[in-house]
Amino acid sequence: MKTSTPRLGFSFGRLWTIGRNTMTEVIRQKFFYILLVFGLVVIASSRFFAQFSSAEQIKFIKDFSLAAMTVFGALIAMVGTAELLPLELENRTIYPILAKPVHRAEFLLGKFAGMAMLLLLTILLMSLIFEGLLLYTEHQLLAGAAANASAPGAEVSAQEIAGQILHQTRDPALLKAIFLIGIKALIVCAISLLISTFATSVIFNVISSVIIYICGHLEAGARQASLGDQSPIVRGLMLVVAFFVPDLSAFNLADAVVLGQHIPLRLVANTAAYGIFYAAIALALAILIFQEKEI
Amino acid sequence: MHAIATRSLTKHFRSTWRRRVVGLDHLNFAVRENEVYGLLGPNGSGKSTTLKLILGLYQPSEGEADIFGMSVERTVSRTSVGYLPENPYFYRYLTGAETVRFFGRLCGMRGRRLEEKVSELLALVGLEAHRDRRLAGYSKGMLQRIGLAQALVHEPRLLLLDEPTAGVDPIGSIEIRDLILKLRGMGKTILLCSHLLDQVQDVCDRIGILHYGKMILEGDVKSLLARKDQFQFTCEGLDETARNRVREAIRAAGSRLISEGNPATTLEHLFLQSVRSADREKTAPSKATRPVDLPTAERL
């Protein structure tokens, strides 16, 4: 005789519990500290490489720091996520968790949420260092500009130079660029989690994620190049790659920010929606595979 | 209603070269409510596979299993189950209290109710003094006890204990055994997998022996261990004169006095006999196609 019992609905409470624990778990791993500290040092060191004029100096810091945030964000996402599921399976810590009334989807999404929170915190920390560096440089350049402008024979007024400096350091486009770096890291995280549901080793996962990451950056260029190609095979291949691999170069606003171009909010919103869509598809596939996986 | 019921539960695995390996072969067994059932068997006999199928960690190749009448395929069935794994598969960076709290939260518990439960369970398993110590610093016995605490956090009616005393020293082992008996007294149903047959004999109401994924012997512990062709009186205050009169009476009745001690066999003996008997059945070429007969207590 079967009893009629209430269904166990999806719970954000359980997801949050797993997510919070995942954060603690990753924070305790050495690779995280190494990558984070290295990323922060790289951003901070951009100040010492920049031996140019005031405008060039700020451009260099912005370019260098945004690139460092992109690379270290992606690295932490790849390495951290690649280990999440294999570690649970290897240490079998997943057994007592799934032996509780926990849906597998909650477990997997909890793992993603934990890693996503950590990534956002990491990017926030790197952004704070970057912003601090910009403000420090701004302060120094403003002082230097004031001294130069007050010198006899100065062609540009101190106010004018200050305006140019502030225009570059207080550029709201910086926030848009950092926001899309965060979204890109989340896509990498979701793809890595998807691979870990069927990958046989962490190394395989990391290598696959790196290949997808590189393909994602080359995709737009290759698509452009293939437009002129008459071969249906090449065009078909590009279509398949474009379907399965997200165009990660679309998330790179560093060049536009450095050049001081206007970045419409609509473009940022559309790119973010595109990224979230890809991440959602990757997570849905990961859940489908994980549901059938024998632990 | 049974706490656990399996019907023709079967699990096949694919080995290297895609060869099919039978992990569990049409298993039919049931655990009654409020009993302690011992699932025994040599390594690789299918005990852990059975537990994983009951917990929904594996999908059955054939057949089905229920927990309190609810299919194990439904996640909600696990609201009634607490599981203690064979080894302490817990996060070693969490403290004892954090571990129990983590599993409590997974079961939807929050706030004061959860905190009270954490303290209550740590007291029950004797780890109150170590509640803020990380699991990395716990001994094996302490880890098994924290495992029991997490298994009990959501007040399940059924407990699945996989080798609860594995690697635990004799004192820790006795403590865990006493805890199991205490839990039975609290009305819990317990499915216990263990190699420690004396302990199983002490705590289990019924046992089942698995071998090659099949149930080769099942029944009530007392009746399985009793020798039905012999009879035993347990007396008190019988002096030598009276004993001689009893011996005389036995002879007069045409019976033969075999022993004056306790004639019961041990569960360890029964276990080995069952396994060896099944081994002989499996390896004998002329009997290869004949179904394996279940040995009975009388035959043993």
Side-chain angles (χ1 to χ4, degrees), chain A residues 2 5-6 13-14 20-21 25 28 88 91-93 95-100 102-104 294-295, chain B residues 11 52 56-59 66 68-70 74-76 78 89 91 93 105-107 110 150 154:
Chain A
K2 306 268 174 185
T5 44
R14 287 192 288 266
R20 219 168 52 168
N21 191 60
E25 193 182 343
R28 294 183 62 86
E88 289 278 354
N91 297 335
R92 300 181 186 186
T93 39
Y95 284 7
I97 294 176
L98 292 185
K100 296 284 183 218
V102 174
H103 292 294
R104 288 188 178 205
E294 300 218 318
I295 309 292
Chain B
K11 183 66 191 171
K52 284 181 180 174
L57 299 174
Y58 282 168
Q59 303 277 333
D66 293 343
F68 295 109
M70 197 187 305
R74 296 181 62 193
T75 308
V76 71
R78 295 196 277 285
Y89 305 133
Y91 298 111
Y93 51 82
R105 285 199 179 116
L106 287 182
C107 298
R110 294 283 181 279
Q150 67 77 29
H154 55 308

Side-chain angles (χ1 to χ4, degrees), chain A residues 218-229:
Chain A
L218 298 177
E219 188 194 322
R223 205 170 46 223
Q224 281 293 326
S226 71
L227 284 178
D229 202 308

Side-chain angles (χ1 to χ4, degrees), chain A residues 1-9 11-26 28 87-88 90-104 106-107 111 290-295, chain B residues 1 7 11-13 52 55-60 64-71 74-76 78-79 81-83 85-91 93-94 101-108 110 134 150-154:
Chain A
M1 187 186 70
K2 306 268 174 185
T3 48
S4 60
T5 44
R7 288 170 62 84
L8 187 75
S11 158
F12 284 99
R14 287 192 288 266
L15 193 149
W16 171 244
T17 303
I18 292 167
R20 219 168 52 168
N21 191 60
T22 304
M23 257 181 86
T24 317
E25 193 182 343
V26 181
R28 294 183 62 86
L87 269 182
E88 289 278 354
E90 191 185 318
N91 297 335
R92 300 181 186 186
T93 39
I94 194 169
Y95 284 7
I97 294 176
L98 292 185
K100 296 284 183 218
V102 174
H103 292 294
R104 288 188 178 205
E106 288 167 346
F107 177 80
K111 288 272 148 196
F290 190 60
Q291 292 283 14
E292 299 302 314
K293 193 175 178 78
E294 300 218 318
I295 309 292
Chain B
M1 190 196 312
R7 286 172 294 282
K11 183 66 191 171
H12 299 145
F13 297 101
K52 284 181 180 174
L55 289 166
L57 299 174
Y58 282 168
Q59 303 277 333
E64 52 186 7
D66 293 343
I67 294 173
F68 295 109
M70 197 187 305
S71 169
R74 296 181 62 193
T75 308
V76 71
R78 295 196 277 285
T79 46
V81 189
Y83 169 58
E86 182 181 356
N87 285 303
Y89 305 133
F90 308 116
Y91 298 111
Y93 51 82
L94 295 181
R101 200 176 291 127
F102 170 73
F103 285 101
R105 285 199 179 116
L106 287 182
C107 298
R110 294 283 181 279
R134 288 203 170 138
Q150 67 77 29
L152 288 163
V153 72
H154 55 308

